[in-house]
Amino acid sequence: MNKILPNINSVSDLRKLSLKELINLAEEIREEIIRVVSKNGGHLAPNLGVVELTLALHYVFNTPEDKIIWDVGHQCYTHKIITGRRHLFPTLRQYQGISGFPKREESLFDTFDSGHSGDAIAVGLGIATALEMKGLENKPRVVVVIGDGSLSSGVGFEGLNLSGALKKDIIIVLNDNEMSIAKSDGALATYLNRVITGQVYNRLKADVWNLLGHLPKNLTSRARKMAKKLEEGLKSLFIPSLIFEELGFRYFGPLAGHNLKVLIECFNRIKNFSGPILVHIVTKKGKGYQPAEKNPEFFHGVGPGKISNWELREGSASASRESGFSETFGKTILAIARKDPKVVVITPGMCLGSGLREFREEFPERFFDCGICEQFSLNFASGFALQGLKPVVAIYSPFLPRAYDQLIYNICLQNEPILFAIDRGGVVGEDGETHQGIFDFSYLRFLPNMIVMAPRDEEELRLMCIWAIENLSSPMAIRYPKGGSNKTGNGKEKKEIEFGKGVMERDGLDSAILGIGFGVNIAEEVAEELEKEGLSIGIFNARFLKPLDEKLLLNLAKRYKVLFTVEENVLAGGFGSAVLEFYQEKDIPIRVYRFGLPARFIEQGERQTILEKFGLGREEIVKKIREVLKKENYR
């Protein structure tokens, strides 16, 4: 049988296919997604779950004139393949390749640069309202695709609430696979599960309408009122879709999300309806690939691997997880919790990625996965802190700003003792702009009462976790990157953590590099390279972003005329800026040269490639330091 996918270069090609051909195409697309993700890594399970949905949407709606908005966006692989980017799909998540998320600069079919959860309904409602205000004769349709995990977020509910109230023409497709990243918990998940599985609903919905349809047409006014009450009462008792209908939506579903015939028929029926519509479809995360179907949490996002059993390739981020920062954090906090019953762990849908599987299994009563709800997670942690417990919030750096209000005005204002384990700090790599954790030093360091630490390697992370729990009397943050450090600290035994104190990693005669976090490892490589040229460069590990080690900084100013800083954060407002501000306030005439990242959104690419491209490559730093020291007439 001839392959169909090689001939799909646009949605116009797609719309020429028969239903049978579409079904075959869906399987070919799954094979292509698995093949490319096995080489590049990516979000496998979410994309396998929406192949038929994506085909049906583009088959029925007149895209790109009609607008499809993908909430979160990590499920857009099929969308990209069929909208003119099939030939670029092998470059997925690679530097200067195509993004793993919708990206407006790539295609007219990408309506919104998604990346975080819950935003799409509000964006879609804004587009729908604007289109109405334009008064177009043939107004484009607006379709939002959102998962059940994202719908549980506060901003998702806010979108539902106003959409139902404004009565604009918007179609929301609720992709219900009972998962966010891990299995969805909470009342909404329970409710949706009841909708899916309730045979009473499926049977009685039809029976109710059949009954009302046989009532006489010439009823008296009183009888008509009684019939209306009967209708509403039966709906209240037997139709679980009532919550959406009460919010103002016309509800359709639940529909089989992998049945192309059912999906196409439904979308054709509703595409010209007016007002807010919610289509509830049921899909299986990881559909078509048995390992992903059995373990969708692990296969939510994976590194490159062998397709047969997804044995992770050596050197990939996922392969190094066992010895990486995340795993070290998970094992350390578990060991601490065994000794300290006051420790509880809270995470907004990031259990596996944060290395917390073992904690979840051993202490289920002290582990709380709040789903993709960052604001709620921080407020929830506040309650524990106010009752004398020791809450640990495990969260990714690029998602913490979603709860910035709670962080500032609840936690820091009230000086609540909460430990933030901030994973994915710095360059994350292949997930691109919305997932790079390169702003956290800048937005954390000026917060009153907040203490901020950053370890250079896994052993230092372990020591920081122990110290933080033992001294938890205010908000504290430990920020660390994805993957492992691949560093041993020259085999030196790590010094215990002292509040606000850095450590000297190596002495130097000519100048010194003051690093923080992974920046210390970069600095060490630079110093070793310069040593070959006869330059003696000291390495100092700040450990603390806030408070700074003022004694260390004063001593460095006495020894050197020039100082260098290295951080895996944007230069604007980061660690180097803090050092400059300190010296300015003390009126100390020392020149400080900073190495870090530009204040811009950094695209996807392999982590080391990004570091080298954007100012943190070893050769570039070596060259700059050499030039500076030569100008300063050092030896």
Side-chain angles (χ1 to χ4, degrees):
M1 184 174 63
N2 292 330
K3 291 282 188 180
I4 299 171
L5 183 58
N7 298 313
I8 304 300
N9 298 307
S10 68
V11 291
S12 60
D13 296 327
L14 179 78
R15 292 167 188 152
K16 298 173 185 176
L17 301 180
S18 67
L19 178 61
K20 183 178 179 181
E21 289 171 324
L22 283 174
I23 293 171
N24 291 334
L25 176 62
E27 295 312 307
E28 291 180 29
I29 288 175
R30 281 196 171 88
E31 291 172 3
E32 178 68 359
I33 289 172
I34 293 169
R35 184 185 70 82
V36 170
V37 174
S38 73
K39 293 182 178 180
N40 299 0
H43 290 90
L44 185 63
N47 282 283
L48 295 179
V50 298
V51 176
E52 288 84 2
L53 170 62
T54 308
L55 294 178
L57 287 171
H58 282 287
Y59 192 76
V60 172
F61 291 95
N62 185 33
T63 55
E65 285 75 19
D66 289 341
K67 311 300 180 185
I68 299 177
I69 305 167
W70 300 93
D71 195 85
V72 183
H74 58 221
Q75 75 285 55
C76 69
Y77 295 1
T78 301
H79 165 81
K80 294 205 171 193
I81 289 171
I82 64 175
T83 54
R85 286 167 280 182
R86 176 180 55 79
H87 65 293
L88 295 172
F89 193 60
T91 71
L92 179 74
R93 304 172 76 243
Q94 304 300 296
Y95 183 61
Q96 296 187 331
I98 61 170
S99 171
F101 294 81
K103 203 167 182 179
R104 291 166 61 227
E105 68 180 43
E106 281 185 11
S107 171
L108 290 173
F109 289 89
D110 292 3
T111 306
F112 179 69
D113 288 13
S114 311
H116 294 186
S117 71
D119 297 330
I121 296 177
V123 173
L125 180 60
I127 292 174
T129 305
L131 289 171
E132 182 179 296
M133 293 172 66
K134 288 182 176 181
L136 301 175
E137 185 174 344
N138 295 309
K139 185 174 61 179
R141 297 312 309 258
V142 178
V143 182
V144 171
V145 181
I146 186 168
D148 53 310
S150 294
L151 193 64
S152 67
S153 66
V155 68
F157 267 113
E158 291 166 13
L160 278 180
N161 180 53
L162 196 57
S163 295
L166 293 182
K167 303 297 182 185
K168 303 303 180 184
D169 296 341
I170 183 171
I171 298 171
I172 297 175
V173 179
L174 171 57
N175 175 31
D176 186 355
N177 55 29
E178 301 181 66
M179 301 284 292
S180 50
I181 296 173
K183 186 172 178 61
S184 296
D185 292 317
L188 179 63
T190 303
Y191 169 80
L192 292 175
N193 186 59
R194 202 164 63 242
V195 173
I196 295 167
T197 60
Q199 293 186 9
V200 172
Y201 157 73
N202 290 304
R203 185 176 67 253
L204 286 178
K205 181 177 181 180
D207 291 347
V208 167
W209 306 130
N210 286 336
L211 169 63
L212 295 175
H214 284 88
L215 291 175
K217 300 297 182 184
N218 58 345
L219 290 173
T220 66
S221 175
R222 182 180 177 188
R224 281 198 299 271
K225 288 179 181 178
M226 291 179 65
K228 183 65 176 177
K229 288 183 178 180
L230 172 63
E231 175 186 342
E232 292 175 353
L234 287 170
K235 285 172 68 176
S236 298
L237 281 172
F238 298 124
I239 300 182
S241 62
L242 187 64
I243 185 173
F244 298 114
E245 293 180 354
E246 289 297 317
L247 283 169
F249 287 83
R250 295 180 68 176
Y251 174 90
F252 297 85
L255 306 178
H258 299 297
N259 188 320
L260 271 163
K261 184 175 185 293
V262 167
L263 293 175
I264 290 171
E265 287 178 351
C266 177
F267 292 145
N268 271 320
R269 192 164 67 249
I270 68 169
K271 68 178 181 179
N272 293 318
F273 287 0
S274 60
I277 295 168
L278 189 137
V279 180
H280 182 183
I281 72 166
V282 182
T283 61
K284 190 171 188 62
K285 198 169 182 178
K287 172 73 173 177
Y289 181 60
Q290 281 297 112
E293 289 187 18
K294 291 178 180 178
N295 192 358
E297 182 179 5
F298 175 81
F299 282 94
H300 174 81
V302 291
K306 297 178 182 177
I307 294 175
S308 57
N309 58 4
W310 217 271
E311 178 184 331
L312 294 171
R313 292 180 183 170
E314 186 177 352
S316 73
S318 298
S320 63
R321 183 178 288 163
E322 290 300 316
S323 59
F325 284 99
S326 302
E327 193 68 17
T328 297
F329 163 72
K331 290 183 181 300
T332 302
I333 209 68
L334 177 60
I336 292 171
R338 286 168 178 159
K339 298 177 182 178
D340 190 340
K342 291 186 176 182
V343 172
V344 297
V345 172
I346 298 150
T347 185
M350 300 164 199
C351 173
L352 191 62
S354 296
L356 291 167
R357 184 200 292 270
E358 291 180 47
F359 192 103
R360 179 177 65 184
E361 292 171 353
E362 186 165 334
F363 294 111
E365 74 287 356
R366 293 161 61 187
F367 176 81
F368 303 91
D369 188 336
C370 303
I372 311 175
C373 304
E374 291 85 358
Q375 290 175 305
F376 172 84
S377 296
L378 267 63
N379 282 338
F380 192 45
S382 292
F384 286 106
L386 293 171
Q387 288 300 308
L389 297 185
K390 298 179 180 180
V392 179
V393 177
I395 191 167
Y396 291 178
S397 172
F399 302 146
L400 181 56
R402 293 168 66 85
Y404 203 47
D405 177 86
Q406 287 71 26
L407 181 62
I408 298 174
Y409 296 108
N410 295 358
I411 292 169
C412 288
L413 175 63
Q414 299 183 68
N415 200 26
E416 294 172 355
I418 298 173
L419 174 60
F420 292 89
I422 304 177
D423 203 334
R424 273 58 171 180
V427 172
V428 172
E430 289 84 356
D431 283 337
E433 293 94 332
T434 58
H435 284 60
Q436 309 282 20
I438 60 176
F439 305 112
D440 49 15
F441 280 173
S442 303
Y443 68 68
L444 287 173
R445 77 174 183 89
F446 63 77
L447 296 181
N449 297 321
M450 175 65 79
I451 295 169
V452 185
M453 295 169 271
R456 68 166 296 183
D457 57 26
E458 292 84 343
E459 176 57 17
E460 203 158 77
L461 171 60
R462 188 185 71 83
L463 293 174
M464 286 180 177
C465 287
I466 294 170
W467 180 87
I469 294 296
E470 289 177 350
N471 296 275
L472 195 60
S473 59
S474 70
M476 295 187 184
I478 304 175
R479 181 260 209 182
Y480 47 93
K482 181 180 181 180
S485 66
N486 300 318
K487 298 293 177 182
T488 62
N490 292 328
K492 296 177 183 177
E493 184 178 351
K494 284 283 184 293
K495 293 181 180 179
E496 294 297 320
I497 305 299
E498 293 184 56
F499 177 62
K501 296 297 180 184
V503 294
M504 182 179 73
E505 301 286 354
R506 61 186 287 172
D507 202 2
L509 299 175
D510 296 322
S511 186
I513 303 175
L514 183 60
I516 188 166
F518 197 83
V520 181
N521 300 322
I522 297 173
E524 197 161 70
E525 291 180 355
V526 168
E528 289 171 358
E529 192 69 25
L530 289 169
E531 189 175 36
K532 298 175 185 177
E533 303 178 17
L535 291 170
S536 176
I537 307 296
I539 302 294
F540 294 85
N541 177 0
R543 286 188 167 179
F544 284 80
L545 170 70
K546 183 172 181 285
L548 290 173
D549 188 341
E550 296 189 2
K551 183 177 180 181
L552 172 62
L553 291 175
L554 290 172
N555 287 336
L556 290 173
K558 292 175 182 177
R559 293 188 61 184
Y560 307 111
K561 293 188 295 182
V562 177
L563 183 66
F564 304 91
T565 65
V566 180
E567 60 189 300
E568 197 177 334
N569 189 78
V570 295
L571 287 172
F575 172 65
S577 293
V579 172
L580 280 171
E581 289 167 17
F582 170 80
Y583 286 129
Q584 182 190 33
E585 289 168 3
K586 299 294 184 182
D587 198 23
I588 296 174
I590 182 173
R591 282 180 289 284
V592 178
Y593 292 85
R594 301 170 299 146
F595 296 100
L597 297 165
R600 55 162 286 179
F601 294 107
I602 294 177
E603 56 267 41
Q604 74 280 354
E606 195 270 333
R607 174 178 156 80
Q608 189 58 39
T609 300
I610 296 297
L611 291 176
E612 292 173 0
K613 177 70 177 177
F614 292 98
L616 286 176
R618 180 182 62 188
E619 291 183 7
E620 181 179 341
I621 297 176
V622 166
K623 179 181 177 182
K624 179 65 176 178
I625 292 178
R626 185 193 301 123
E627 290 174 353
V628 169
L629 294 184
K630 183 178 180 181
K631 187 172 67 173
E632 296 289 341
N633 295 317
Y634 273 68
R635 290 194 297 148

